Amino acid sequence: MNTKLTLSAAFGLLLTSFAAQSSSITFHDDLDIDSVNGVVVEFQREVDLVAGEQLIEVSYSDLFQDNADDSGHWVKSKPLYLKLDVAGTEKYHLELPELYSADDAKDFLQNPVLSLSIDGQAQDVTLLSQSQLFTLILLNK
């Protein structure tokens, strides 16, 4: 019985150490990761990533109110894409610029540049529209 408990604990520790060594991505509350490499991701604020090239589909949505008596309106994006080359154990975070109004959000969606932090080091990245992604795929064949 003691051997089974020890083996079970060792196996659990091994799984935990593998999980701790994998890459993951977190993202701003107004962004949703819809899929990674075509695999649907639902209701997760942190997504594990495997090493290699990843295609991450995200969408943006936020509710803006112009004044106190306004019920507000949503600004939502069509699917946007981030190509990411994951090396191994990095922690990624996608952050939006400050968007104070619906006009700011609409301007952002015309040129969706975000901040991507990799282990705390930030760089700007531009998300691709579906047509830009298809063009990129066709040009690389």
Side-chain angles (χ1 to χ4, degrees):
M1 185 77 148
N2 220 0
T3 305
K4 286 183 181 178
L5 184 58
T6 304
L7 284 175
S8 183
F11 185 68
L13 183 60
L14 184 62
L15 287 177
T16 303
S17 68
F18 280 135
Q21 293 178 5
S22 68
S23 292
S24 65
I25 188 167
T26 57
F27 39 96
H28 189 277
D29 288 339
D30 295 331
L31 289 174
D32 287 314
I33 292 186
D34 300 321
S35 70
V36 176
N37 297 329
V39 177
V40 174
V41 175
E42 294 183 322
F43 311 114
Q44 294 183 30
R45 299 310 306 159
E46 182 172 359
V47 177
D48 290 332
L49 301 171
V50 296
E53 193 168 275
Q54 307 294 309
L55 181 62
I56 301 171
E57 178 185 343
V58 301
S59 57
Y60 166 82
S61 63
D62 198 2
L63 179 65
F64 291 91
Q65 295 177 312
D66 294 328
N67 53 49
D69 62 344
D70 185 5
S71 62
H73 63 280
W74 285 95
V75 176
K76 297 180 180 184
S77 73
K78 293 181 179 180
L80 299 166
Y81 299 90
L82 172 65
K83 285 184 65 177
L84 190 61
D85 192 17
V86 175
T89 60
E90 301 87 3
K91 299 299 179 198
Y92 297 89
H93 179 74
L94 279 176
E95 187 65 38
L96 289 168
E98 292 293 330
L99 304 172
Y100 298 107
S101 68
D103 288 338
D104 288 349
K106 290 173 185 174
D107 288 344
F108 163 72
L109 291 176
Q110 293 299 312
N111 184 28
V113 177
L114 305 144
S115 176
L116 175 66
S117 294
I118 305 170
D119 290 333
Q121 299 295 316
Q123 62 186 30
D124 287 344
V125 294
T126 302
L127 299 178
L128 302 170
S129 67
Q130 194 173 45
S131 63
Q132 290 170 322
L133 177 64
F134 286 152
T135 301
L136 185 65
I137 290 170
L138 289 173
L139 291 175
N140 287 328
K141 286 197 175 215

